[in-house]
Amino acid sequence: MNMQTAQLLRDVTPEGGDYEIVRRVVEKISLDYRDQPSLEEIAAEVGDTPTGLQKLFTRWAGLSPKAFLQAVTLDHARRLLDSGLPLLDTAFELGMSGPGRLHDLFVTHEAISPGEYKARGAGLVIRHGFHLSPFGLALIMVTDRGLAGLAFCDPGGERTAFEDMASRWPNAEFVEDMGATAPYAARVFDPSRWRSEEPLRVVLIGTDFQVRVWDALLKIPMGKACAYSDIAARIGKPSASRAVGAAVGANPVSFVVPCHRAVGKSGALTGYHWGLTRKRAILGWEAGQL
């Protein structure tokens, strides 16, 4: 496919240049959080003033750099896990409110049939486009049934991200169409548009086991986390933690299907297909929304 680097038609972040600075801040916090770096140290690292960085970061995350630092520590991750397995069973209790609840209700999903999956995308038209997001460039992929793919990359990584996603459905027809994907980009990253009466349609393209894992991920509320072993138990495969980890890593609809909320049993954030720094950024951003 002869795909050129996409032109970005609409910036869905409050400030277009925020994420590059935020990414560098998150990297430093992620590497040095045990040393509890000061705001002054972090600002010097990214070439900003402490006041300027405080304003920029808070605008982006809804959290100060210090609060974000606390949100990405191992102790915090362990606290997110305190609810344990019952979390998945009680996530949809009546009376639960807030952005996490809104996000859960915002998504309605279906899976393709086993026959469609075995066809590896044959007969499927997937429209795609790159858009700015709070977490760098977002590759959005849609079918006539809804959102089918969401990936992330940094500028210059568009081709690699596209090829990674396209390889999952090698027999599909891919059409670059930012007009079709822009409405999804505008809704996915804007909490003010997470409305249960206007659900986001998502189509999950994977094996039966993968879809069961992704469905379990959708039941983890924003601001919580779940261990791979607990997800395995939830889907009736308690000895399949490693396979669950592989399915989490293969999730084609990042952020919306929140694979970033899956962590190790100790609370360690472990890996993320689109980069561990981005995983920390998403979790910190979610903490700010709450």
Side-chain angles (χ1 to χ4, degrees):
M1 175 172 182
N2 185 22
M3 183 189 69
Q4 298 179 347
T5 299
Q7 294 182 349
L8 302 174
L9 299 182
R10 179 173 181 267
D11 182 358
V12 296
T13 67
E15 297 287 338
D18 281 5
Y19 182 70
E20 177 54 29
I21 295 176
V22 166
R23 183 188 63 78
R24 292 169 62 195
V25 172
V26 173
E27 278 187 338
K28 180 168 180 59
I29 289 174
S30 301
L31 292 172
D32 301 340
Y33 74 88
R34 291 182 181 84
D35 299 328
Q36 297 289 297
S38 67
L39 177 63
E40 289 73 18
E41 290 172 322
I42 297 171
E45 181 81 13
V46 300
D48 201 351
T49 65
T51 300
L53 178 61
Q54 179 92 353
K55 289 180 178 178
L56 181 152
F57 199 91
T58 303
R59 178 177 65 237
W60 175 84
L63 292 171
S64 67
K66 182 177 180 179
F68 186 92
L69 174 64
Q70 294 169 343
V72 299
T73 64
L74 182 61
D75 286 344
H76 177 75
R78 286 172 176 154
R79 286 194 294 274
L80 296 183
L81 282 167
D82 279 348
S83 298
L85 179 60
L87 169 66
L88 291 175
D89 298 315
T90 61
F92 295 102
E93 281 183 356
L94 291 176
M96 186 175 177
S97 61
R101 173 64 166 158
L102 287 174
H103 181 265
D104 296 331
L105 289 176
F106 171 60
V107 178
T108 179
H109 64 284
E110 64 174 302
I112 64 169
S113 70
E116 288 175 305
Y117 175 74
K118 288 180 181 179
R120 308 297 302 279
L124 192 65
V125 176
I126 299 179
R127 302 183 184 278
H128 62 92
F130 284 89
H131 302 267
L132 287 177
S133 83
F135 316 107
L137 293 179
L139 170 60
I140 306 289
M141 292 183 154
V142 302
T143 72
D144 58 0
R145 291 159 64 179
L147 178 69
L150 199 167
F152 295 105
C153 68
D154 297 318
E158 294 93 333
R159 180 175 295 278
T160 299
F162 174 80
E163 290 176 350
D164 180 303
M165 295 294 284
S167 67
R168 302 166 191 238
W169 315 294
N171 298 327
E173 176 186 353
F174 292 94
V175 178
E176 191 166 7
D177 185 352
M178 293 186 69
T181 55
Y184 287 87
R187 295 185 66 198
V188 163
F189 301 108
D190 183 356
S192 69
R193 299 185 64 179
W194 295 352
R195 302 188 184 102
S196 58
E197 65 270 21
E198 298 178 23
L200 178 73
R201 294 171 56 211
V202 175
V203 56
L204 300 177
I205 304 176
T207 65
D208 177 67
F209 179 83
Q210 288 174 327
V211 170
R212 289 167 64 194
V213 170
W214 302 337
D215 179 66
L217 292 174
L218 281 164
K219 292 181 173 65
I220 306 172
M222 181 188 288
K224 296 292 184 180
C226 194
Y228 297 105
S229 57
D230 286 345
I231 296 171
R234 176 66 180 82
I235 65 171
K237 300 287 186 180
S239 62
S241 294
R242 193 176 297 273
V244 164
V248 170
N251 169 32
V253 191
S254 300
F255 184 73
V256 173
V257 177
C259 49
H260 55 276
R261 298 179 198 157
V263 299
K265 192 155 191 166
S266 68
L269 296 187
T270 64
Y272 185 61
H273 191 77
W274 308 111
L276 193 53
T277 294
R278 187 167 276 110
K279 179 173 183 172
R280 288 190 172 99
I282 293 172
L283 288 169
W285 182 88
E286 288 190 341
Q289 302 305 308
L290 292 169

